[in-house]
Structure formats: C-alpha cells, structure tokens
C-alpha cells in the first residue's frame, strides 16, 4: 500500500509539473508574440514618419504633385535588422495621392445628397465595370455620416472606402478595387490632373469622354506633366468643356499604407496625412 501511495503521489506531482511547464511555455509564447507586435507597430510608425519627411521635401522642391516623384515609389519587402539581433523584419509600404481619386465627401452637403455628384459617381462606377446602382446607396451613406444643420448624425463617420462594406452589394474585393479610385477626405478638395486616372477625370469633368481622358493621361505619364489648371484645359482643346474649379495640379491629402512581417507576426497600418502651409504633413487619422 505504501508503494502504491508513493507511486500515486509521484504521478500526481508529474502531472502538476507538466501542467505548470505547459502554462509557462504558453505564457512565454504569448509574451514573445506581444513583444513582436509592439516592435512591428514601432517599425510602422517609423515608416509613417519617414513618409512625412518624403512628402515634406517633395512640397519644398516641387510646385506640382506628380506621379513620378519619390513619394510614388512603393517599397516591397524591405529587410530590416537590428545590431546584435539575428531576427529580420520585412517592411512594405505605399503612399497614395488621395486627390488623384474621386472624393466621396462631395456626394452630400450637411446631410443632403447632391444629384450632380451622384451622376458623376455613376459614370465612374460604370467605367470601372461596377454596378452604377451602388452610387445612390453610397451617397446616402455619406449623407448619413455628415452633421446636419440641427446637429444630428444618422450614422458613424467615414474614413476610408473599407467603411462602405456595410452597404449591400459591396464586397471586400470590390472595396479593395474601388479604393484605388475613391477617397473620403474630411473636406472638399480639387482633383489632381497629374495623378488622377482617366476614369476619375472623365467622371469629374462634364463632357470629357473616357477615350479623350485616356489620351491625356498617356501623354501626361509620358512626361508632359500639367503645369497649371489652364495648361490642362488648353490641352483639352474642346470649347464645349467649361473649365471649373474641380481640377488642380498639386495635392495636400495622402494615404499611407504599411505592413511589417516579423517572425510570425504581421502588423498593418493605414494613415491619412495632410500637408499644408509649408509644414510637415499632419496625421489626421491612423487605422491599425
């Protein structure tokens, strides 16, 4: 009986010890993963600050915002190592000119849908092969997110195209595609003729055919950048198109997207930057 009792005690002690070791191992893995996530986030913030420097220097040296500038060059799987640390992190990032896109904010003013802007969005969606019937629900969602004159707000505010996923008919894949053509800015802004796609230009300028817009963008991307609004409309060479204030040749709003892979951890970040008045770009929002 004494031997059996001793064996039972030893077995119980072994089970308890194994459980303690397993919990300690799980805790160590959790702490290591949390450490990696924190380090990855700091690397992303470093990339965001570097983006601000790049955009600040671009504004100091260039009067216009063009697609062939340094800020427009994406970074893919850049290897990052720390002295004395054998581990490697890989950084990928991209800066996008949000003024080269159709600004959804203009679809409504103080909660009231603007039919002319809805028509422009329908034209844009149709040129992209997206059902243009989504223009109405998108405009209503934008209107619901705005403060009305009475101070009320029917729906939460919008930051990015991904916030439109609650609308029936918009899938994650569609939202990812539309994010290259649509933007949601805190206020109205001109469309940069030097960075906008042909589809966005055609939809934003009444009377501008998509084929003609494509001709203009091909010439532009070949090195004939627009130096002013007047230069853009002169090259249109179409008296039926009345120049408006919707076109510009410089940008203040940019979206920064970054990703860091460190061991088994992958961290992502998006941010909206606003540069104005000769100052380093300000961070308007960050989404992790």
């Amino acid at each position: 009986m004494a031997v059996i009792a001793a064996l039972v005690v030893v077995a119980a002690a072994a089970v308890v010890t194994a459980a303690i070791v397993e919990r300690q191992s799980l805790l160590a893995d959790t702490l290591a993963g949390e450490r990696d996530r924190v380090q990855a986030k700091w690397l992303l913030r470093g990339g965001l600050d570097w983006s601000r420097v790049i955009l600040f220097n671009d504004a100091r040296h260039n009067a216009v915002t063009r697609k062939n500038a340094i800020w427009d060059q994406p970074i893919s799987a850049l290897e990052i190592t720390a002295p004395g640390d054998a581990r490697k992190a890989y950084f990928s990032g991209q800066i996008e000119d949000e003024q080269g896109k159709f600004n959804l904010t203009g679809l409504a003013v103080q909660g009231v849908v603007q039919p002319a802007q809805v028509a422009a969005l329908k034209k844009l969606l149709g040129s992209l092969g997206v059902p243009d019937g989504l223009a109405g629900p998108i405009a209503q969602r934008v209107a619901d997110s705005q403060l009305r004159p009475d101070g009320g707000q029917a729906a939460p505010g919008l930051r990015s195209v991904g916030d439109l996923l609650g609308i029936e008919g918009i899938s994650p894949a569609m939202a990812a595609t539309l994010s290259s053509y649509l933007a949601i800015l805190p206020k109205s802004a001109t469309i940069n003729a030097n960075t906008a796609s042909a589809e966005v230009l055609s939809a934003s300028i009444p009377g501008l055919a998509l084929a003609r817009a494509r001709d203009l963008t091909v010439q532009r991307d070949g090195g004939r950048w627009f130096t002013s609004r007047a230069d853009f409309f002169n090259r249109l060479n179409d008296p039926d198109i009345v120049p408006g204030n919707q076109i510009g040749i410089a940008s203040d709003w940019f979206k920064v997207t970054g990703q860091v892979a460190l061991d088994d951890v992958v961290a992502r970040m998006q941010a909206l930057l606003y540069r104005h008045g000769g100052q380093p770009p300000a961070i308007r929002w960050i989404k992790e």
Side-chain angles (χ1 to χ4, degrees):
M1 292 294 296
V3 172
I4 293 174
L7 292 175
V8 170
V9 170
V10 171
V15 171
V16 172
T17 302
I20 293 175
V21 171
E22 183 179 359
R23 291 180 181 178
Q24 287 181 337
S25 177
L26 179 61
L27 178 60
D29 292 341
T30 302
L31 292 175
E34 185 62 25
R35 176 203 61 193
D36 291 344
R37 276 189 291 271
V38 171
Q39 290 181 350
K41 288 182 178 180
W42 276 111
L43 289 173
L44 285 173
R45 288 305 298 262
L48 179 59
D49 289 338
W50 180 240
S51 299
R52 297 175 64 202
V53 172
I54 291 175
L55 291 172
F56 177 60
N57 288 331
D58 176 75
R60 291 178 60 188
H61 296 94
N62 299 299
V64 300
T65 305
R66 307 180 308 190
K67 291 180 65 176
N68 67 339
I70 295 178
W71 63 265
D72 191 49
Q73 309 304 315
I75 298 175
S76 179
L78 176 65
E79 184 178 300
I80 302 174
T81 58
D85 192 344
R87 299 185 308 156
K88 297 179 181 178
Y90 297 91
F91 174 82
S92 300
Q94 182 180 10
I95 301 176
E96 299 176 68
D97 180 5
E98 294 297 90
Q99 286 184 235
K101 305 176 183 180
F102 185 90
N103 184 11
L104 295 180
T105 302
L107 290 172
V109 176
Q110 294 184 332
V112 178
V113 174
Q114 305 297 300
Q117 290 297 308
V118 175
L121 179 59
K122 283 186 176 180
K123 183 178 180 181
L124 174 58
L125 295 179
S127 66
L128 298 175
V130 176
D132 60 7
L134 290 172
I138 291 175
Q140 189 58 55
R141 176 65 180 89
V142 172
D144 292 341
S145 70
Q146 295 179 347
L147 288 175
R148 299 189 295 267
D150 59 3
Q153 188 176 2
L158 298 171
R159 284 185 171 181
S160 65
V161 177
D163 295 334
L164 301 176
L165 287 175
I167 297 176
E168 184 177 357
I170 297 183
S171 63
M174 183 184 296
T177 299
L178 292 177
S179 64
S180 298
Y181 301 91
L182 304 178
I184 301 176
L185 301 179
K187 59 182 181 180
S188 60
T190 57
I191 294 175
N192 189 341
N194 281 318
T195 59
S197 65
E199 291 81 1
V200 171
L201 289 174
S202 176
S204 304
I205 302 175
L208 178 59
L210 181 57
R212 179 57 181 145
R214 284 174 175 163
D215 289 340
L216 287 172
T217 55
V218 168
Q219 296 174 19
R220 175 199 69 189
D221 296 342
R224 295 184 59 191
W225 306 102
F226 300 110
T227 58
S228 65
R229 291 177 61 253
D231 180 31
F232 174 79
F233 285 105
N234 285 338
R235 286 198 225 172
L236 281 177
N237 194 27
D238 189 339
D240 295 332
I241 298 179
V242 180
N245 296 324
Q246 75 274 36
I247 295 298
I249 43 86
S251 301
D252 296 323
W253 297 96
F254 298 86
K255 182 176 71 176
V256 178
T257 303
Q259 174 180 298
V260 169
L262 178 60
D263 290 341
D264 295 329
V265 172
V266 177
R268 298 177 177 87
M269 175 185 293
Q270 275 191 350
L272 181 65
L273 302 182
Y274 178 60
R275 67 177 186 186
H276 187 66
Q279 300 296 322
I283 301 173
R284 296 302 297 262
W285 55 256
I286 294 178
K287 181 186 295 186
E288 297 179 348

